[in-house]
Amino acid sequence: MSIVTVQLGQCGNQIGFEVFDTLFRDSHSSQGLCSKRENEAYQASCKERFFREEENGVPVARAVLIDMEPKVINQTLSKAAQSGRWKYGQHTSFCQKQGSGNNWAYGYSVHGPKHEESIMNLIQTEVEKCDSLSGFFIIMSMAGGTGSGLGAFITQNLQDQYSSSLKMNQIIWPYGTGEVIVQNYNSILTLSHLYRSSDALLIHENDVVHKICAKRMNIKQISFRDLNRVLAHQLGSVFQPTHSEDSSFHYCRNPLVSGIVGPGLPHATNVCLVALYCRPMFLSTNGDLMEHLVPHPEFKMLGVRNIPQMSAESLAYSTFTWAGLLKHLRQMLISRAKMEEGIDWQVRPPLSGLPPIGKAFAHKEPHFNTSLANLVILRGREVHSADVEGFRDPALYTSWLEPADAFSVWKTPRPFDKYEKSAALVSNSQLLVKPLDMVVGKAWNMFSSKAYIHQYTKFGMEEEDFLDSFTLLEQVVASYGSL
């Protein structure tokens, strides 16, 4: 089943290129640790999910590129074509001559309605080229105007027109020090609208990615492309194929598979059409990644952690065991560490079996990160020997979900990128409560003094729209805080 990617704004288009390039290079790399049969199955599954093929055999990304200025789109199309590996399709991009001026309201209320028909027709054309659509992956920033405002508008349209297909928005959280003076307004408006129309928000913080580049990748002069390559690696580690649990030769895990009901099936069931020998195969899970990780519509914020992450020079002198990798990854989870550097090993989960009431609750470790749901994805040698029982500990999770429902693991012996062994953790937890609370607080401080409100009201917004956004996001903060 195929995923259609929608790349929005400068940020979304630049990251989108790196994602497709990473996916293609990884799927076509020569992995001597796997059999030829394994590699062929992996490659076929990746291709069907993210690429289609022209008559001349050139892989074409299943993507639509949108920006209100032509420069970045032209650069992105050119880079893909010049790579000689894959390209974007003809007539899959939409751009204009005037941007959104870093104004959410202009992207949402002006560009959105004005260009709605043209953009949705492009997306429909790409959807019609899929034998079976599993969902949409929307890449966008929160800080500017086009990615955030137009991105929120397009996501709402996708929800209206493709309500049975899952929508995941990959959101770039702006630097805390500020990229745009009104970025906090743009951020709260984006998040509140996406909370109503998207199925899941996969969030990456620029500050965290920057630290990974500096401290883990040893990059001295960090560029946007360096940031985007780290992001692409993290996304690829989640989206590349993995095995279904009941067969070691079927690549069937798809993050955006929609639940459908078929003849004789009393409950929604996933149908996977990308398996070895192309044999249809029914899976017991529903919606794979998103329906594992988003059990309630009030909890949609997902974070990603990867281990290991390091430069090629450091990697040449490093060896890893599954026990060591998973020990570090679990501690990153419970201590709210967003990368391997600076893990707090003093944080411990509360004792299992104690009721979360009274004094027991009062003495809960203040820095402990309570999870709603977690997914661990393991790739590489001897993967089936990896012990993930530490992630099934009931103390890690909220009391209203059983660990059996809250934790999932996907595996493949096929390594990803340059790492012989690697693990990714996609988590729905309290990890993002603090940055969300800070953004809401900063936006409220500006709003209470009426700063820059006129820049939004002149494009049709009302102060009530801001208040609605504050109310929704304060409820999200409270909900996550009560886990």
Side-chain angles (χ1 to χ4, degrees), residues 282-460:
F282 289 86
L283 300 180
S284 59
T285 54
N286 183 20
D288 281 358
L289 185 148
M290 288 201 287
E291 296 204 20
H292 274 129
L293 291 174
V294 188
H296 190 282
E298 205 159 290
F299 301 91
K300 293 185 177 183
M301 297 197 301
L302 309 179
V304 182
R305 301 172 182 83
N306 290 77
I307 187 170
Q309 292 183 113
M310 59 179 58
S311 65
E313 292 78 13
S314 299
L315 186 62
Y317 300 97
S318 304
T319 58
F320 304 100
T321 64
W322 285 118
L325 290 174
L326 292 171
K327 178 182 178 181
H328 281 73
L329 190 63
R330 183 178 184 272
Q331 194 63 26
M332 288 166 68
L333 169 65
I334 66 176
S335 66
R336 306 192 188 200
K338 295 173 182 177
M339 62 178 186
E340 204 175 344
E341 195 87 12
I343 295 175
D344 185 351
W345 290 96
Q346 302 303 311
V347 178
R348 293 286 183 268
L351 294 175
S352 300
L354 289 180
I357 56 176
K359 292 182 179 179
F361 183 72
H363 292 294
K364 180 181 175 182
E365 168 63 53
H367 300 293
F368 175 73
N369 178 44
T370 302
S371 295
L372 190 68
N374 290 308
L375 166 67
V376 170
I377 305 170
L378 307 177
R379 303 175 184 275
R381 291 185 61 183
E382 302 166 348
V383 69
H384 296 294
S385 68
D387 182 1
V388 295
E389 287 305 306
F391 289 89
R392 302 187 197 274
D393 183 353
L396 272 57
Y397 299 95
T398 183
S399 59
W400 51 269
L401 271 182
E402 293 294 327
D405 299 320
F407 176 69
S408 305
V409 58
W410 301 349
K411 299 179 180 181
T412 173
R414 210 262 191 196
F416 175 68
D417 204 358
K418 59 184 183 247
Y419 300 105
E420 186 178 271
K421 297 174 182 173
S422 63
L425 169 66
V426 189
S427 181
N428 190 342
S429 69
Q430 296 174 319
L431 178 73
L432 295 159
V433 172
K434 184 177 179 181
L436 175 59
D437 198 29
M438 289 179 63
V439 164
V440 172
K442 289 177 181 178
W444 178 257
N445 288 340
M446 290 178 63
F447 181 77
S448 61
S449 63
K450 307 296 183 185
Y452 302 103
I453 295 294
H454 66 285
Q455 299 286 358
Y456 292 76
T457 55
K458 70 181 181 181
F459 294 118

